[in-house]
Amino acid sequence: LYMRNARRLANGGYLVTHNREQVVREYDADGRVVREIPARSGPHSAVRLPNGNTLIACGDAVKDGARVFEVDGAGKTVWEIKNGDLPGISLKFMTGLQRLPNGNTVMSNWQGHGQFGSGPHLLEVTPDKKVVWTFADHKTMRTISSVQLLDVPGDAFKGEVLHGFKFTSVNERPAMSPPASLLAALALLLIAAGAHAVDPAIGGVLAVGERGT
């Protein structure tokens, strides 16, 4: 089984993204499958929202299949951003995500697999699919795996911040000057193929990264 991310739920169960099987599975505390959510194009991250819905980011297992979508308890898709929905923005491999208190969704657009420099690293969209901001700096970093806005209150380790993440190694750097809307961003960077590392140019955010291909 190839799993991208696993998240412990408040009920003691687990939400696990099975990338190659293109499914998100929910397990109870004893490891029994209690629910399956089909996730075409390969799920990377999944978040259980306070209303019981599940927010899922999918990759590039299917051509032009990158997307972020939300399903309700019955498995019905109630919201989705897919490639082609945002004029001028190409979605490559959706990885990290965060649902904000105002209902907007911040997401990272991973650009490995030969796609370096092909789109924005990060973007925030409203429920009606309006782009609030995008961020791209292809000279400083190759690609970003995940993001957390640090001015959103709550403890991410207790599930109080609604975001998908992937931890591999940690580094802190002094100041940098990203756009004002990104001053509170936590970026998890994927740089070049090989061993785990962190791009030293990330600057003043706490960065967690791995080398990507």
Side-chain angles (χ1 to χ4, degrees):
L1 298 178
Y2 180 60
M3 297 177 289
R4 281 284 187 178
N5 285 288
R7 174 182 297 274
R8 188 172 186 181
L9 301 173
N11 63 7
Y14 295 88
L15 198 60
V16 182
T17 55
H18 294 272
N19 184 267
R20 290 178 183 167
E21 295 181 78
Q22 301 187 48
V23 65
V24 175
R25 292 195 178 101
E26 182 176 340
Y27 298 85
D28 66 18
D30 296 319
R32 292 183 292 261
V33 177
V34 297
R35 184 184 179 191
E36 290 195 347
I37 305 172
R40 182 179 179 271
S41 206
H44 184 280
S45 301
V47 179
R48 179 60 45 79
L49 302 176
N51 63 2
N53 291 357
T54 305
L55 189 64
I56 301 168
C58 287
D60 61 2
V62 175
K63 181 177 173 58
D64 296 324
R67 62 181 178 138
V68 171
F69 70 106
E70 179 182 340
V71 298
D72 63 16
K76 178 183 177 181
T77 298
V78 297
W79 185 81
E80 181 180 36
I81 289 285
K82 61 184 183 299
N83 205 27
D85 284 349
L86 306 176
I89 295 177
S90 180
L91 304 182
K92 299 301 181 182
F93 188 126
M94 306 313 292
T95 51
L97 42 77
Q98 182 178 356
R99 176 60 55 82
L100 302 180
N102 64 4
N104 291 357
T105 304
V106 177
M107 57 194 79
S108 52
N109 185 25
W110 190 78
Q111 290 162 54
H113 298 168
Q115 299 293 329
F116 293 134
S118 59
H121 291 309
L122 304 172
L123 57 153
E124 178 181 341
V125 296
T126 65
D128 58 352
K129 303 184 183 183
K130 299 293 191 301
V131 177
V132 179
W133 54 256
T134 65
F135 170 75
D137 183 353
H138 298 291
K139 292 183 179 179
T140 301
M141 58 196 75
R142 282 201 169 185
T143 191
I144 295 177
S145 167
S146 194
V147 61
Q148 179 187 338
L149 301 190
L150 297 179
D151 60 353
V152 174
D155 186 334
F157 293 100
K158 295 179 180 179
E160 297 169 352
V161 178
L162 306 173
H163 80 118
F165 59 93
K166 183 175 182 179
F167 289 132
T168 53
S169 57
V170 179
N171 191 26
E172 288 184 278
R173 301 290 298 181
M176 68 178 292
S177 298
S181 56
L182 295 180
L183 287 173
L186 168 65
L188 312 188
L189 301 185
L190 296 173
I191 45 181
H196 291 162
V198 177
D199 187 337
I202 179 61
V205 297
L206 175 66
V208 185
E210 64 180 45
R211 296 179 181 267
T213 56

